Amino acid sequence: MTTHHDAPAGASTELWNHDLAPTTPAQRTWRWYHFAALWVGMVISIPAYMLAASLIEGGMSAWQAVLTVFLANLIVLVPMLLVGHAGTKYGIPYAVLARASFGTRGARLPAVMRAIVACGWYGIQTWFGGSMIYTLLGVLLGAPIGGENLPGLGINLGQLACFLGFWAIQMYFIVHGMESIRKLETYTAPLKIAICFLLLWWVYDKVGGFGPLLGQPSQFVPGGPKAGLFWSVFWPSLTAMIGYWATLALNIPDFTRFAKTQRDQVIGQTLGLPLPMGLLAALAVTVTSATIVLYGKALWDPVDVASRMTGVAVLVALIILLIDTASVNLAANLVGPAYDFSALSPRRISYRTGGYITAGIALAMMPWKILETTQNYIFIWLTGYSALLGPIAGIMIVDYYFVRKTRLDVDQLYNEAGSYSYKGGWNIAAIVAFAAGVLPNLPGFLNAALPNAFPDVGEAFKTIYTYAWFVGVVIAAIVYGLMMKGRTAPALGNVNKAANNYPT
């Protein structure tokens, strides 16, 4: 078995470095509770809290919104567990696993797609963190800081300084690597759960109940403002909610490669994702419901709610939200792209350098622009990239389970002339299947993102786009499966020997 330090025979420096090498037994320290804590830590976050808001704005009742969020997470758990299996079995990250289906060179395509989306998310979460520091300083000083907006940026100097400040705080964890992120998640998860209960108690105490929102009917009931339109809102919303975790459904091997056993990753993820996500949505709805009574309007932004608390409560609430945002951001949006960028050129780019690149691109993307409207956030950003990432998930799952029956030759994944090099390092079947999965969603995306430039997109394409993730997964999976029929990779002889070294 390859130790952490020795490259396998025939490994190319263009495909192998210490960070991308299979994990050794000594590195496999994650038990089920680490995975559960990781997910609780990632779920309890400001964007996830605000997801339920977008659904209620769309006309759903409180319980319809909560159930939609729960269902989406139940669906996305399936690819999480399926793709995560390979990480635990072979100790390899997503960017290396993708070589089995896309080819040793072709795998750079899904790696870059996943990485760019994560950079956008990294920026969005960093912006949230910066906004909190900005709000906190405003509350402490008794007046808003920052003055006029800067030309070209659309934000003021105070906002920019807070954004850059929070960006700098997170650099500590990039420098100190994966283990520092695991510790942060494990220690902050219980704290986050406690805060949620505290928030519920605060609301109940203030309002003497849980507020009017919970009893409100949806706008889709007969005679309501959106009567009969439930499904036309439900499907795009479900797709967007799945899109929220679609990035992690791909790069989950980056975490499961550190699992002690398959059981640890399966139980940990199953306990940590769908239920906490549904409960968080319920909490968001309940707290927001109370804000209608307290402030006369629905406040969906927890930072806004926290800033209205008085005395030391503001300080405590915002500091906890800050820790929360940093822990979510590092786990969900830094680990994946750091490995992905490393896989582009392992000789030059380490995991840490990949982290620096991620943080740099996140700055350049000006995340506050993505968040200007719900339309931008849900239908352009979330649904748009789920259209890109769905096909990749479909291809990888079919390749791993149906083409290879979960058997991989690990050494060959690091060999440029090995059995996963296909033609010149590219597997044409994967590229064709990817294109086939993305193309049907393109007209709908262009219409959502640039309605003035593409006004005449047919209704059929708009409808397809509302199911973007599902359409991409299914089409790409079928096309790839058909093109790879009877074409299993050769050199499966030493696979079982390699697999025996890994936990099942």
Side-chain angles (χ1 to χ4, degrees):
M1 175 179 170
T2 314
T3 67
H4 184 50
H5 300 291
D6 305 328
S12 154
T13 51
E14 286 304 317
L15 295 175
W16 188 92
N17 68 19
H18 292 307
D19 295 315
L20 297 173
T23 45
T24 62
Q27 291 173 289
R28 290 166 168 273
T29 54
W30 289 47
R31 304 308 309 241
W32 68 267
Y33 46 86
H34 292 123
F35 284 101
L38 174 81
W39 273 114
V40 167
M42 289 196 290
V43 160
I44 300 178
S45 66
I46 292 172
Y49 179 102
M50 292 168 79
L51 283 178
S54 61
L55 299 182
I56 289 179
E57 274 179 317
M60 289 190 185
S61 71
W63 303 116
Q64 284 172 336
V66 170
L67 283 169
T68 304
V69 171
F70 176 71
L71 182 63
N73 286 278
L74 211 52
I75 293 170
V76 87
L77 179 66
V78 176
M80 291 273 179
L81 297 176
L82 290 176
V83 178
H85 182 279
T88 303
K89 186 169 180 180
Y90 298 107
I92 51 177
Y94 156 71
V96 172
L97 176 62
R99 292 172 187 167
S101 47
F102 280 82
T104 44
R105 288 196 170 172
R108 289 171 184 162
L109 173 77
V112 167
M113 302 249 167
R114 160 73 186 92
I116 295 299
V117 169
C119 293
W121 267 122
Y122 190 80
I124 287 173
Q125 292 271 27
T126 303
W127 171 250
F128 278 131
S131 306
M132 272 174 263
I133 299 175
Y134 181 75
T135 306
L136 184 62
L137 290 174
V139 171
L140 293 177
L141 296 170
I145 54 170
E148 292 294 306
N149 279 357
L150 298 167
L153 284 181
I155 54 173
N156 65 40
L157 189 61
Q159 286 171 304
L160 182 65
C162 294
F163 173 63
L164 292 173
F166 188 61
W167 182 85
I169 292 168
Q170 297 176 107
M171 288 306 268
Y172 168 87
F173 292 93
I174 298 181
V175 175
H176 290 84
M178 189 75 175
E179 195 56 18
S180 65
I181 293 174
R182 179 183 70 100
K183 285 181 181 156
L184 181 73
E185 290 296 336
T186 309
Y187 296 137
T188 56
L191 177 76
K192 290 180 178 186
I193 295 169
I195 297 305
C196 288
F197 282 111
L198 212 70
L199 204 54
L200 273 178
W201 172 81
W202 175 77
V203 160
Y204 195 84
D205 185 56
K206 276 273 204 216
V207 179
F210 285 131
L213 243 185
L214 302 185
Q216 263 184 4
S218 81
Q219 295 178 24
F220 306 113
V221 293
K226 296 186 175 179
L229 294 176
F230 177 75
W231 296 109
S232 61
V233 172
F234 171 78
W235 284 110
S237 302
L238 186 72
T239 305
M241 299 299 120
I242 289 171
Y244 184 71
W245 290 126
T247 49
L248 270 144
L250 288 180
N251 78 293
I252 195 68
D254 297 344
F255 297 95
T256 59
R257 65 197 293 241
F258 295 101
K260 222 167 174 64
T261 63
Q262 286 293 358
R263 190 172 164 271
D264 283 315
Q265 71 101 356
V266 170
I267 291 175
Q269 294 207 76
T270 306
L271 290 177
L273 178 61
L275 195 61
M277 196 79 184
L279 291 173
L280 178 77
L283 173 88
V285 171
T286 310
V287 173
T288 307
S289 178
T291 61
I292 298 176
V293 180
L294 293 173
Y295 307 113
K297 61 177 185 210
L299 300 177
W300 280 104
D301 182 351
V303 180
D304 191 1
V305 177
S307 70
R308 289 163 192 259
M309 293 176 176
T310 45
V312 80
V314 186
L315 194 62
V316 174
L318 285 163
I319 286 172
I320 284 160
L321 285 172
L322 266 179
I323 295 169
D324 167 57
T325 303
S327 74
V328 172
N329 204 18
L330 293 160
N333 308 316
L334 175 80
V335 175
Y339 280 125
D340 294 340
F341 286 125
S342 176
L344 295 181
S345 181
R347 204 168 27 150
R348 298 180 197 85
I349 305 174
S350 67
Y351 169 82
R352 190 179 294 172
T353 311
Y356 298 148
I357 295 171
T358 304
I361 294 175
L363 272 184
M365 285 175 95
M366 294 206 269
W368 52 91
K369 305 249 185 222
I370 297 175
L371 292 167
E372 277 171 345
T373 66
T374 346
Q375 168 69 15
N376 280 357
Y377 181 46
I378 289 212
F379 289 102
I380 300 174
W381 175 241
L382 287 176
T383 313
Y385 76 68
S386 78
L388 273 185
L389 302 183
I392 299 172
I395 291 166
M396 287 173 72
I397 289 168
V398 167
D399 184 76
Y400 184 63
Y401 286 94
F402 297 100
V403 178
R404 306 188 194 286
K405 312 278 192 283
T406 76
R407 294 183 309 177
L408 295 173
D409 185 337
V410 175
D411 290 356
Q412 297 284 319
L413 288 168
Y414 299 94
N415 185 341
E416 269 192 308
S419 53
Y420 301 110
S421 59
Y422 299 98
K423 283 197 174 68
W426 293 80
N427 181 5
I428 300 304
I431 306 302
V432 171
F434 175 72
V438 171
L439 282 174
N441 286 310
L442 195 59
F445 169 74
L446 292 172
N447 174 260
L450 306 162
N452 298 334
F454 298 92
D456 304 326
V457 169
E459 282 308 312
F461 283 117
K462 289 183 189 172
T463 307
I464 288 171
Y465 182 61
T466 60
Y467 304 94
W469 187 81
F470 297 98
V471 169
V473 168
V474 172
I475 293 179
I478 292 170
V479 171
Y480 185 77
L482 291 173
M483 287 184 74
M484 289 298 283
K485 213 169 161 62
R487 281 179 54 197
T488 354
L492 281 174
N494 46 354
V495 175
N496 298 329
K497 179 177 83 3
N500 290 339
N501 295 317
Y502 298 98
T504 46

